[in-house]
Amino acid sequence: MLTRRHIRVKVMQTLFAFNGTESDDFTKDQKFLLYSIDNMYNLYLLLMSLLIEINKKATNHLETAQKKHLATEEEKNPNKKFINNQLLQLIVNNERLKVQLEDRKITNWQLDNEYVDLLYKEIKNSDLYKDYMSTKTSTFKEDKNFVIDIFKEIIAPNDKLYDYLEDKNLTWLDDLPTVNTFILKLLRKLKETSDPVTLTPKLYKDIEDKEYAINLFKKTLLNQSKLGEEISGKTNNWDRDRIASLDMVLLKMAICELLHFPSIPTKVTINEYLEISKEYSTPKSSIFINGILDKLLKEYQNDGKLNKVGRGLM
């Protein structure tokens, strides 16, 4: 679920906020880093539970209408296509997902159910819903495509939901694009016979990714004086105070990767930090960072400082 780029962003944010020295006790900041990463999984669960609650809302609405004293013929015999949507039922009835929602106490929508109401009304008023409900039967593929469309076009871009998530947890704003993209990919892969474990993915691809997050944070922080000297040697014509603080953090992380992470190819390191700088720093940051890293890389290669292992890692 978690990509190396997102790990780099989380480390960058923690280092930028911490702004300490090698002698500081950074235990709390490392805990914050891991908490921030772990909380990304809570966001995934929160959005998946939103689909469950919308389906429940539709079911309750239909049952209430049926019980009316003067119910119309349509209310007595409603189209149950949406509440019986096969993909939604896979999610609603997934026991592993239920356990994780309970364990992590994801109960937001029971307390803040106005957001469920809001999204349910938007879905019902949409052309997507009208087209989907124009028939009473459907295939699993049609059901899946409908859920994907409402998530992509109604739920994910909803401004009020965005504001709600921002209010609940600031770190979620950076996580949201990644989590939304992951959910869409997951929904597209789901089949009638999908293993229930599919809906409860691992946060880290493997233990190496978690170790990478911790080591990148620690090694950058513990070596930041030396890393700063490396940068200073290549920025003689720059006023240090005018170099964006975030650019300094990204450069230190990138140099740390080049020197202390032998299994990561140099091209991967440079490309990743250039992309992160384009998204999070100033418009000219990527050009500045690329220039510094290019000079340092050539110097390290000439001096034999790079200790990369594996084919094609230089």
Side-chain angles (χ1 to χ4, degrees):
M1 179 178 180
L2 196 64
T3 66
R4 283 286 177 103
R5 180 175 297 179
H6 207 82
I7 289 174
R8 289 180 175 97
V9 169
K10 289 292 186 184
V11 172
M12 173 198 76
Q13 291 169 337
T14 306
L15 288 169
F16 184 74
F18 178 55
N19 208 17
T21 66
E22 292 96 326
S23 60
D24 290 332
D25 178 9
F26 54 84
T27 306
K28 289 183 180 179
D29 298 274
Q30 184 176 311
K31 285 182 179 178
F32 172 79
L33 168 66
L34 295 176
Y35 168 78
S36 177
I37 292 174
D38 184 65
N39 211 29
M40 180 179 171
Y41 194 76
N42 288 339
L43 177 59
Y44 163 76
L45 291 175
L46 183 63
L47 293 175
M48 292 301 286
S49 69
L50 184 55
L51 290 173
I52 294 173
E53 293 303 319
I54 289 171
N55 185 259
K56 285 182 182 178
K57 172 65 66 176
T59 303
N60 292 336
H61 181 79
L62 184 148
E63 290 174 350
T64 301
Q66 281 183 310
K67 292 175 183 177
K68 283 183 182 177
H69 180 61
L70 297 174
T72 64
E73 189 60 33
E74 184 179 350
E75 288 171 332
K76 290 177 182 178
N77 299 287
N79 185 348
K80 297 183 178 181
K81 189 175 178 180
F82 180 61
I83 66 170
N84 291 334
N85 180 287
Q86 295 170 76
L87 183 67
L88 287 177
Q89 289 305 310
L90 274 184
I91 298 171
V92 169
N93 296 315
N94 189 287
E95 293 300 325
R96 291 177 62 93
L97 186 57
K98 287 179 185 177
V99 169
Q100 290 203 0
L101 289 170
E102 290 173 5
D103 288 348
R104 289 181 176 248
K105 297 179 174 58
I106 307 297
T107 58
N108 298 55
W109 310 125
Q110 296 169 29
L111 301 171
D112 302 316
N113 57 11
E114 65 269 25
Y115 294 94
V116 178
D117 293 339
L118 171 74
L119 289 165
Y120 175 59
K121 287 176 183 176
E122 284 198 25
I123 290 168
K124 278 200 70 177
N125 292 330
S126 69
D127 290 335
L128 286 171
Y129 183 85
K130 291 170 186 174
D131 291 342
Y132 176 70
M133 297 296 286
S134 63
T135 62
K136 290 194 173 184
T137 59
S138 60
T139 62
F140 183 85
K141 183 178 179 181
E142 184 187 348
D143 284 353
K144 180 167 76 170
N145 288 338
F146 173 69
V147 175
I148 290 169
D149 286 342
I150 62 170
F151 186 86
K152 182 173 62 177
E153 298 185 26
I154 298 174
I155 297 174
N158 187 273
D159 289 335
K160 290 185 178 178
L161 179 61
Y162 181 91
D163 291 340
Y164 173 80
L165 295 174
E166 180 181 24
D167 184 56
K168 288 296 177 183
N169 194 308
L170 275 174
T171 65
W172 278 349
L173 294 187
D174 286 312
D175 299 335
L176 192 57
T178 299
V179 174
N180 281 337
T181 300
F182 177 81
I183 289 175
L184 283 172
K185 287 181 179 178
L186 184 146
L187 293 176
R188 291 186 180 109
K189 289 179 182 177
L190 285 177
K191 300 177 182 178
E192 295 173 79
T193 55
S194 289
D195 190 325
V197 75
T198 307
L199 290 174
T200 52
K202 293 179 180 179
L203 177 58
Y204 296 96
K205 184 178 68 174
D206 47 42
I207 190 63
E208 284 79 12
D209 273 4
K210 185 173 183 179
E211 290 173 350
Y212 166 74
I214 295 170
N215 288 333
L216 181 59
F217 173 73
K218 280 185 176 180
K219 290 180 179 180
T220 303
L221 190 59
L222 292 173
N223 292 284
Q224 67 170 325
S225 293
K226 290 181 179 178
L227 296 171
E229 290 172 7
E230 295 285 321
I231 298 167
S232 297
K234 296 292 176 289
T235 55
N236 293 328
N237 297 325
W238 289 77
D239 182 350
R240 192 176 177 85
D241 292 334
R242 295 186 65 186
I243 299 174
S245 299
L246 196 57
D247 290 355
M248 289 296 290
V249 171
L250 289 172
L251 277 168
K252 287 176 182 178
M253 289 172 64
I255 297 166
C256 181
E257 262 194 35
L258 290 173
L259 296 175
H260 302 293
F261 289 79
S263 65
I264 301 178
T266 56
K267 286 184 180 179
V268 170
T269 293
I270 292 174
N271 288 339
E272 284 293 287
Y273 286 101
L274 290 181
E275 289 304 312
I276 292 171
S277 70
K278 289 175 185 176
E279 186 172 354
Y280 289 92
S281 199
T282 69
K284 295 182 179 179
S285 289
S286 62
I287 299 171
F288 169 69
I289 290 173
N290 187 53
I292 301 300
L293 292 179
D294 186 58
K295 290 178 184 177
L296 286 171
L297 180 59
K298 290 175 181 175
E299 185 179 294
Y300 295 155
Q301 288 172 335
N302 291 334
D303 295 344
K305 287 186 177 181
L306 294 180
N307 184 29
K308 299 294 182 179
V309 295
R311 299 178 64 181
L313 292 179
M314 296 294 283

